Amino acid sequence: MPELRVAPSILTADFARLGEQIQEAEAAGVHWIHLDVMDGRFVPNLTFGPLVVEAIRKVTGLPLDVHLMIVEPERYLKDFGQAGADWITVHAEATPHAHRAVQQIKELGKKAGLAINPATPLEALLPLLPELDLALLMSVNPGFGGQKYIAASTERIRRLRALRDELNPVCLIQVDGGIKPENVAEVYRAGVDVVVVGSALFNNQPVSDNMKKLLGEVYAAGPR
Ligand code: DX5
Ligand code: ZN
């Protein structure tokens, strides 16, 4: 198995049968479940809060990876922790106190992630990189599923990989947005550890078929 974890984003799943969709993904061999929390302020869309995370916690044993696209994330970290999140990621652009937010996540006994948007310099991650469990590079502008991968993200992954290897080898690199069978090998080879995949996994085909297609491309890329 290549050292790549797949974290399906439920954003394009059928919310009327969310439990089933998550179990279908689990049966297809995904590694984490990625949950996109949006507040209509940090991003121009609204999704769900801790209640839904809590409900999902009951239907799967997989790690829950909560991506907070909300302003003032500090206000809600405890709620998401109690709801059953295993990984909690905040955006560097969403708080002037990213360091405090990361410490709070760790104090809750959770894994801490820091995310940056496509227009944010990689340098924004550096002061905190030695303390992070996960660094998330957005490869679309956050807010919606089904957007096109921003090509410049691949070089950012490569640069972050070098920095990560030097400053904190145990921190995972995650990429989120527009990942498809056509580009998954590219981001894998650039050095990503976790791919978030929404519309290429939850669409009108069975999740297991989509997962096979995706992993087929990674296997074909060979070891990195
Ligand atoms: C974007 C979200 C992503 C996204 C992934 O704001 O953070 O998780 O929904 O979906 P796709 O893979 O369709 O881009
Ligand atoms: Zn996300």
Side-chain angles (χ1 to χ4, degrees):
M1 173 68 205
E3 309 148 34
L4 183 74
R5 288 169 230 204
V6 178
S9 158
I10 62 164
L11 215 50
T12 54
D14 179 353
F15 273 64
R17 39 181 211 96
L18 198 48
E20 272 169 56
Q21 292 257 277
I22 287 170
Q23 282 160 351
E24 194 187 336
E26 188 166 351
V30 306
H31 303 89
W32 296 359
I33 301 293
H34 181 86
L35 303 175
D36 288 307
V37 176
M38 304 187 186
D39 66 353
R41 293 183 63 204
F42 181 66
V43 289
N45 196 5
L46 282 167
T47 56
F48 50 80
L51 264 181
V52 170
V53 176
E54 202 179 326
I56 292 172
R57 178 74 290 165
K58 295 191 180 121
V59 299
T60 180
L62 290 177
L64 298 184
D65 169 31
V66 175
H67 177 192
L68 295 180
M69 285 160 275
I70 65 176
V71 297
E72 297 179 61
E74 299 85 350
R75 293 175 58 195
Y76 298 101
L77 297 174
K78 198 167 163 213
D79 293 343
F80 283 102
Q82 283 175 350
D86 299 287
W87 295 75
I88 302 179
T89 297
V90 298
H91 266 263
E93 305 88 354
T95 171
H97 304 295
H99 184 276
R100 181 180 295 149
V102 165
Q103 297 314 317
Q104 284 175 355
I105 296 168
K106 292 183 159 193
E107 279 160 22
L108 292 167
K110 309 296 178 180
K111 300 283 192 187
L114 188 63
I116 56 170
N117 287 332
T120 302
L122 278 188
E123 284 64 29
L125 288 172
L126 293 194
L128 280 168
L129 190 54
E131 325 220 6
L132 296 180
D133 298 303
L134 180 141
L136 166 54
L137 290 182
M138 289 306 302
S139 44
V140 297
N141 289 295
F144 303 94
Q147 302 183 80
K148 191 175 179 300
Y149 179 79
I150 296 172
S153 309
T154 307
E155 188 50 33
R156 280 158 65 81
I157 296 169
R158 233 175 254 129
R159 284 177 52 216
L160 181 59
R161 174 78 186 212
L163 292 163
R164 185 286 299 269
D165 289 351
E166 183 189 338
L167 298 172
N168 182 4
V170 297
C171 173
L172 298 179
I173 298 176
Q174 185 176 57
V175 67
D176 183 2
I179 303 300
K180 308 251 177 276
E182 296 73 47
N183 59 14
V184 70
E186 177 178 322
V187 297
Y188 167 68
R189 292 207 70 97
V192 90
D193 301 298
V194 189
V195 283
V196 176
V197 185
S199 49
L201 277 181
F202 289 115
N203 51 36
N204 45 20
Q205 303 298 318
V207 181
S208 57
D209 290 359
N210 292 332
M211 184 70 176
K212 268 188 212 128
K213 238 191 251 170
L214 205 67
L215 287 185
E217 296 296 332
V218 178
Y219 283 119
R224 54 182 170 203

